[in-house]
Structures are given as C-alpha cells and as structure tokens.
C-alpha cells in the first residue's frame, strides 16, 4: 500500500515526531514498501480467530497491596533535563 | 592459555579451588578489553572501578568460605538495555545519553547478589531495534571473526564481547532473535528463555509482549549456569511466570537418544546461504547418529510471521517509546519553545532512523481506521502461528533449524534496505510471537571461516530440554574452543 506524503506527516504528528523534509520523503518510500510486504496478511481468513495479545496464557500477577517506600524526589528528579524544587519543569502551557 | 580463554564454569572451578582470584580474572578481562576492543568495539562503557570492587568483595567471601553462588566472582558484561544503578544506561540511543538509573533491573540485582562483577555495558542497536548493531547511535560493533562484518544484532555487542573473550559471558535481550542471531554469527551460545521466565523489570522496553532477557555464553553449560541465576518469578513484573525453576544443569549430559526432533520444512527455503544449509543439514545427521529421530513437520503459517512481527513489534514500540518526551530523563531539545516542541524536537533529535521508522509504522498500524486491518489482524495471525507450534510439539520434543539464513554480512551491506535487514530474523522471530524458548548453538564454519548457528526451539518452559539437546551436539564438536582471529 502506497502512503502519501500527507499521511506520513499526519502519522508523524500523531507520534510527536518532527521530521526533516528528507526524512518525510524517505519514510514515504520505505514505509510503503513495508506496508506492501505486510499486505499478505489480508489473504488469510481470520474471522473466527481469537487475537493473541500475550504469548503465554497467564493473567497479570498482582502484588499484595501494601505501602512501600518509593524513590525519593531527588533520585526521581536526578535525570530531569529541567526541574524546579520537587517538580519536572516544562515550558509554560497557559499564559 | 590465557585466563580469558576459560569458560565461565572453568573459571568458577578455578575460583572455587583457590587457583585464581576474582580480582585476577576481572583484571584479565579488563586487560583483554584494553587489548582488542579498539577493533571489536563491543563496549559502550567499561566500569573498571565497580567491577574491581565487586571482584574484591567476591574474593573476601571466598576467603571467608561463603561464596554467594556457583558463579561468584565470574566477570560478566551487560547489554546496555539493562538498568544499572549509578552506571550510565543508554539503550544505544542519543535520547538517553547521560541517563544514570536510580535502581537496578531485577536481573542486574540477581547477578550482583550472586557475586558476578559487571565489567561494563555492551553496544546494541538503538532500543534493541536492528539485526546488525549498525542502528546504535554511537558506533557499530564488529564481528571478531572478520572485523569488516557485523556481529549481528541487536545484542551484537554482547555477542562480540563473548566471542572476543573480553568477558566470560554476557546478558542480551531477544525480541525477534536478538540473542540467537548474533550468537549464530559469532560462534557463541545464545538462549532466549520462554516469555515470562526471566524478569523484564528494569529492562528498557521495546515490544513488551515479545522481549525476553537471556544468557550469551561460549558454552551450553555456561548458558545453563547463567540462566540458573536470572530465572526467577518477580513480583515487580506482572508478566513474569510463577513457574518453578528447575536445575538447568542436572540433565545436561543426558543425550538425545530416543528424542524426536522436528525439522520444519518451511525453515529450509530459498534465500538460505548454501553453506549455512550444508552445516545445518550436517548437524541434523549428527543428531541421527546420536540416536534421535528426525521428523518432518510443517508450520504452515511461517510465511506470515515476518509481516505479523513487523506490525506487532513496532506497534508496541511506538507505545513504549512515548515515554521519551524530554521531560523526565534524557535529552531535551535546546531550541524547544513550547511543550509540543519539547516532545517533537526532542524525539526528532534523539531518535535514529530505525527507531523513527518503527515508531511511524507502529503509530500507523494502531491509528484509527487501520487498527483492525493491521494490528488486530496481526494479533489473530499470531494465534495461528502459535497453534502451528502447539501442533508440532504434540509430535516432537523440539524443532531444529538454521538460526540465521546467512553468515555474518558486511557492515553497511543492508543498512539502506530495511526489508532485507528484517529478513535476517526470519527463522528467529516466530518463536517470540509464540513466546517459546529458543537457543542457538555453533554448528560449524563456512569456507571463509564465518560461524554458522543451529537453532533449537522448544515447548514453553523447556529450557532444560533445549540445553540438553544443544549440549549433545556441542560435546561432539567443541567448536567453542576455536578462537576468533584477533
């Protein structure tokens, strides 16, 4: 299936990726080729087949609901590119 | 013979006998890295101080007569996808450059508790996405058997370091073959355990329903010993299996007499290198000589596995990689003015081409209007692939196939053609879709001296069976004694 440049731009917006014009062109070609290759799945009749979301048949194992210490703020914030006091800092959203 | 030529268990025996200290072994490993890593480029980071401190602590335990485990004191390398407290962990990506985790992955904690000095972090394809290590944001690793070639990916740094005898063993992760394919290309043993067998807590996520950490070693017995340390139910990982962990070394020498080994006809197809096919066919004959019965089996949906994988893995990746947004850790684009810019520009500057390609593919496959046609359909085909294996394992004890269709290829050869690169995983990724254990064991060399791997796939949680089958072959050939020409 051939993707258009507009579709690639739209998907990039959804994925929060800004792309250079050169990348937009390259991905239009490359993603079209990959989508062509996966097109063969359309040939299978899967109407009555249950999807597999996890390969092993197990339900999520839940821990006991007990309070435990979490990472202290200084450790959680240690890798933040910008912080203020005990918060992650981002550019102002509302003026 | 150098100290670094020893296998993990040979070194462990010498440590136990007091013939060598962990500090000596660790210094030997560090010296070997110093000697050959400029050519191999397996390491992103060497933690000399941390490794030596752990080695000295190990020696003190030995002296006091209380070693922490059978492998206490054996130096190990880690793919740079495992969070290690206080040591930079990058996943091979610019977006995580400088990231120093505040805690250890569960497997890292288990290794430390077992007393293994961790000598450093090994190169990988960015976020484990790739089959050649060339997607690493930093540099490609080289194959010790021919440094103009790739060691495979994404755990290529781990494989190269083990093959070059820079470390005694390493941990990798396998999402579509990332432990087994580089093992095959470097004459090493790579084991991808059953999904859920080894905790994924603290392992930077690529595709959560497929990823699984596992050992990369020079011998089958070493793989068994290392798996013993890391296989454990983990309350911090809701997908970790609450299954008992057997003694993986107990039946290692039991042989294959009387076993039925399936040969899936769909795994011997056009496109396979003739020398790879010849080596694998010879290995099959060896199993017959050893008393196993070969059974022709069919996995009819194999031809759909690649397409299924390249929808499911990117879909999960696009979701997992949403967390790299320039807010909590890693890179933030300097020129970002608005919050939207922080996300989009950081991700533009921080991610490499392969990662962007897969995020785009995954976002597309999950987007409204395409979800049913792509993602949901792929999950249904995944069921068919899994059922193929279930039917096959009703007839046979394990399946035998090539690990990789070709031996190590030249660096740069496939970089511009994602589809041809994706084909490198054609024999390995169905196992991940089905959640099965798989192992690659060396089974010979091409005329040019490049290693070939034999893949053994098994029933869920039958790692012990795979190790036993691999060991039966290894005992006859001893390929692991051959050293790469460095």
């Amino acid at each position: 299936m051939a993707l258009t440049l507009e579709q690639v731009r739209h998907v990039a917006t959804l994925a929060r990726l800004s792309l250079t014009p050169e990348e937009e062109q390259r991905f239009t070609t490359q993603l079209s080729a990959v989508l062509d290759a996966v097109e063969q799945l359309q040939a299978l009749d899967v109407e009555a087949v249950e999807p597999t979301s996890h390969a092993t048949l197990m339900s999520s194992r839940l821990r006991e609901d007990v309070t435990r210490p979490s990472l202290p703020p200084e450790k959680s914030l240690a890798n933040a590119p910008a912080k203020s006091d005990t918060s992650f800092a981002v550019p102002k959203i509302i003026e | 013979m150098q100290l670094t030529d020893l296998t993990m268990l040979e070194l462990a025996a010498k440590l136990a006998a007091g013939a060598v200290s962990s500090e000596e072994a660790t210094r030997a490993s560090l010296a070997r890295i110093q000697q050959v890593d400029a050519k191999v480029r397996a390491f992103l980071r060497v933690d000399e101080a941390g490794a030596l401190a752990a080695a000295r602590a190990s020696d003190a335990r030995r002296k006091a007569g209380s070693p922490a485990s059978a492998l206490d004191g054996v130096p190990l390398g880690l793919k740079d996808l495992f969070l290690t407290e206080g040591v930079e962990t990058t996943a091979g990506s610019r977006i995580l450059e400088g990231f120093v985790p505040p805690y250890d992955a569960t497997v890292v904690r288990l290794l430390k508790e077992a007393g293994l000095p961790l000598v450093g972090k090994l190169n990988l394809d960015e976020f484990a996405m790739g089959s050649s290590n060339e997607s690493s944001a930093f540099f490609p690793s080289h194959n010790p058997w021919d440094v103009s070639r790739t060691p495979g990916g994404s755990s290529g740094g781990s494989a190269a370091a083990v093959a070059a005898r820079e470390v005694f063993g390493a941990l990798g992760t396998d999402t579509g073959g990332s432990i087994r394919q580089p093992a095959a290309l470097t004459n090493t043993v790579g084991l991808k355990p059953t999904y859920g067998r080894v905790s994924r807590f603290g392992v930077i996520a690529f595709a959560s329903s497929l990823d699984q950490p596992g050992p990369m070693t020079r011998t089958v017995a070493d793989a068994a010993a290392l798996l013993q340390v890391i296989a454990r139910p983990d309350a911090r990982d809701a997908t970790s299996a609450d299954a008992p962990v057997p003694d993986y070394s107990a039946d290692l020498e039991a042989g294959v007499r009387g076993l039925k080994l399936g040969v899936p006809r769909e795994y011997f197809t056009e496109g396979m290198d003739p020398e790879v096919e010849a080596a694998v066919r010879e290995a099959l004959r060896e199993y017959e000589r050893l008393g196993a019965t070969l059974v022709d089996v069919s996995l009819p949906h194999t031809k759909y596995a690649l397409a299924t994988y390249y929808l499911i893995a990117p879909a999960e990746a696009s979701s997992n990689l949403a967390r790299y947004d320039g807010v909590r850790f890693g890179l933030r684009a300097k020129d970002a003015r608005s919050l939207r810019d922080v996300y989009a520009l950081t991700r533009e500057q921080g991610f490499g081409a392969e990662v962007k390609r897969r995020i785009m593919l995954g976002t597309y496959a999950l987007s409204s209007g395409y979800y049913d046609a792509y993602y949901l359909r792929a999950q249904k085909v995944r069921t068919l692939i899994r059922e193929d294996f279930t039917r096959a394992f009703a007839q046979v004890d394990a399946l035998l196939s090539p690990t990789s269709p070709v031996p190590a290829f030249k660096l740069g050869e496939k970089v511009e053609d994602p589809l041809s690169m994706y084909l490198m995983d054609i024999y390995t990724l169905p196992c991940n879709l089905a959640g099965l254990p798989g192992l690659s064991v060396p089974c010979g060399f091409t005329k040019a001296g490049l290693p070939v791997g034999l893949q053994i796939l098994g029933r869920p949680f039958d790692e012990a069976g795979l190790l036993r089958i691999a060991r039966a072959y290894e005992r006859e050939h001893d390929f692991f004694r051959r050293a790469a020409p460095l």
Side-chain angles (χ1 to χ4, degrees):
Chain A
M1 186 180 146
L3 280 181
T4 63
L5 196 59
E6 284 65 40
Q7 281 175 306
V8 167
R9 285 183 184 140
H10 176 63
V11 173
T13 308
L14 292 176
R16 297 287 182 269
L17 269 176
S18 56
L19 300 178
T20 63
E22 191 267 327
E23 280 176 324
E24 287 174 347
Q25 290 293 349
R26 186 148 39 98
F27 287 154
T28 304
T29 313
Q30 289 177 339
L31 295 178
S32 296
V34 175
L35 288 172
D36 268 343
V38 302
E39 205 60 30
Q40 57 164 308
L41 295 189
Q42 308 301 334
L44 280 169
D45 177 10
V46 291
E47 191 61 37
V49 181
E50 283 294 312
T52 296
S53 60
H54 264 272
T56 44
L57 300 169
M58 56 184 177
S59 52
S60 286
R61 297 166 54 243
L62 300 177
R63 287 194 297 263
E64 288 298 304
D65 188 13
V66 288
T67 313
R68 288 182 314 170
S70 53
L71 279 181
E74 62 275 15
K75 271 197 165 187
S76 304
L77 288 163
N79 284 290
K83 57 194 160 194
S84 84
D85 297 329
T86 55
S87 307
F88 296 102
V90 294
K92 198 180 270 183
I93 299 171
I94 302 166
E95 288 300 327
Chain B
M1 189 178 188
Q2 291 185 14
L3 206 47
T4 48
D5 290 335
L6 298 174
T7 69
M8 291 177 71
L9 287 175
E10 287 168 348
L11 174 62
K14 284 196 186 296
L15 290 166
V20 66
S21 71
S22 176
E23 182 168 347
E24 284 171 286
T26 304
R27 286 195 188 281
S29 171
L30 293 166
R32 179 72 180 161
I33 295 167
Q34 189 76 38
Q35 185 196 348
V36 300
D37 205 56
K39 280 191 254 175
V40 179
R41 309 221 68 191
F43 279 86
L44 287 175
R45 214 157 300 103
V46 176
D47 182 18
E48 182 169 338
L52 286 172
R56 283 190 282 266
S58 168
D59 289 333
R61 279 192 299 275
R62 288 257 178 225
K63 225 173 187 172
S66 54
S69 74
L71 296 179
D72 194 346
V74 177
L76 205 74
L78 290 174
K79 184 178 187 177
D80 200 29
L81 201 65
F82 294 92
L83 297 191
T84 39
E85 184 177 358
V87 179
E88 188 186 2
T89 301
T90 65
S93 182
R94 293 269 174 228
I95 212 161
L96 274 176
E97 209 171 359
F99 173 67
V100 180
Y103 58 87
D104 282 326
T106 293
V107 288
V108 174
R109 177 175 58 78
L110 292 171
L111 291 169
K112 287 181 176 174
E113 286 172 5
L116 290 86
L118 304 174
V119 292
K121 307 300 289 289
L122 294 156
N123 198 18
L124 69 155
D125 283 300
E126 186 175 6
F127 287 103
M129 297 179 193
S131 308
S132 70
N133 245 260
E134 291 161 288
S135 301
S136 165
F138 304 105
F139 46 79
S141 294
H142 299 251
N143 193 316
W145 293 91
D146 174 350
V147 291
S148 71
R149 293 174 190 270
T150 161
S154 66
S155 309
S158 298
V162 174
R165 303 182 175 188
E166 295 174 89
V167 282
F168 294 85
L171 282 196
T173 64
D174 192 312
T175 304
S178 281
I179 286 176
R180 289 160 288 155
Q181 185 252 17
L185 270 40
T186 58
N187 196 45
T188 55
V189 175
L191 171 61
K192 179 242 173 239
T194 311
Y195 182 81
R197 176 86 285 184
V198 176
S199 169
R200 296 185 301 107
F201 175 81
V203 185
I204 295 175
F206 159 14
S208 302
S209 79
L210 305 165
D211 300 340
Q212 186 60 201
M216 305 186 72
T217 57
R218 286 179 43 218
T219 68
V220 176
D222 283 0
L226 192 49
L227 181 64
Q228 203 74 53
V229 175
I230 59 171
R232 201 84 37 113
D234 181 13
R236 291 182 146 150
D237 175 1
T239 62
S240 122
D242 204 4
V245 177
D247 178 349
Y248 291 114
S249 304
D251 288 330
L252 217 48
E253 305 294 337
V256 291
R257 189 160 295 281
L259 292 187
K260 283 187 189 162
L261 303 177
V263 182
R265 68 184 78 120
E266 292 83 1
Y267 282 53
F268 291 84
T269 49
E270 277 176 50
M272 192 192 308
D273 180 279
E275 288 191 84
V276 168
E277 175 158 12
V280 172
R281 295 262 183 216
E282 182 51 36
L284 298 181
R285 283 190 284 277
E286 183 69 77
Y287 276 108
E288 280 190 305
R289 285 194 284 274
L290 293 169
T293 308
L294 299 184
V295 182
D296 177 43
V297 297
S298 174
L299 301 167
H301 295 94
T302 299
K303 65 176 173 198
Y304 301 107
L306 192 72
T308 304
Y309 179 86
Y310 279 101
L311 287 171
I312 292 173
E316 294 185 9
S318 72
S319 158
N320 274 323
L321 269 55
R323 72 185 59 146
Y324 303 100
D325 56 8
V327 175
R328 286 152 300 156
F329 37 69
L331 180 81
R332 173 179 295 185
K334 297 265 180 295
D335 42 347
R337 298 280 168 263
S338 67
L339 186 58
R340 190 175 260 270
D341 272 5
V342 169
Y343 301 153
L345 292 176
T346 298
R347 290 159 66 79
E348 157 66 15
Q349 293 167 19
F351 289 140
E354 185 58 36
V355 171
K356 285 180 192 166
R357 194 151 47 222
R358 295 203 197 186
I359 290 175
M360 293 286 290
L361 189 57
T363 304
Y364 181 76
L366 289 176
S367 64
S368 159
Y370 296 102
Y371 179 90
D372 284 1
Y374 289 107
Y375 183 71
L376 184 64
R377 178 168 283 265
Q379 293 287 49
K380 289 181 170 188
V381 180
R382 184 177 185 178
T383 304
L384 300 176
I385 291 166
R386 227 183 63 203
E387 288 170 351
D388 282 354
F389 281 110
T390 308
R391 271 191 294 275
F393 286 125
Q395 300 175 57
V396 297
D397 297 290
L399 298 169
L400 303 178
S401 81
T403 307
S404 162
V406 295
F409 45 97
K410 293 266 186 192
L411 288 159
E413 195 180 311
K414 298 180 193 292
V415 162
E416 281 310 312
D417 182 359
L419 272 173
S420 91
M421 188 73 94
Y422 295 171
L423 280 167
M424 294 304 99
D425 301 332
I426 194 156
Y427 300 133
T428 50
L429 54 80
C431 154
N432 299 73
L433 291 168
L436 305 172
L439 183 153
S440 182
V441 63
C443 78
F445 291 85
T446 65
K447 289 187 194 76
L450 298 173
V452 179
L454 171 76
Q455 177 174 245
I456 310 169
L457 302 176
R459 298 188 182 103
F461 300 104
D462 189 24
E463 289 84 6
L466 298 189
L467 290 160
R468 167 187 169 184
I469 293 166
R471 175 59 191 148
Y473 181 81
E474 181 189 68
R475 197 164 47 204
E476 301 299 316
H477 293 278
D478 246 15
F479 290 122
F480 70 89
R481 291 283 172 212
R482 227 187 273 187
L486 277 170

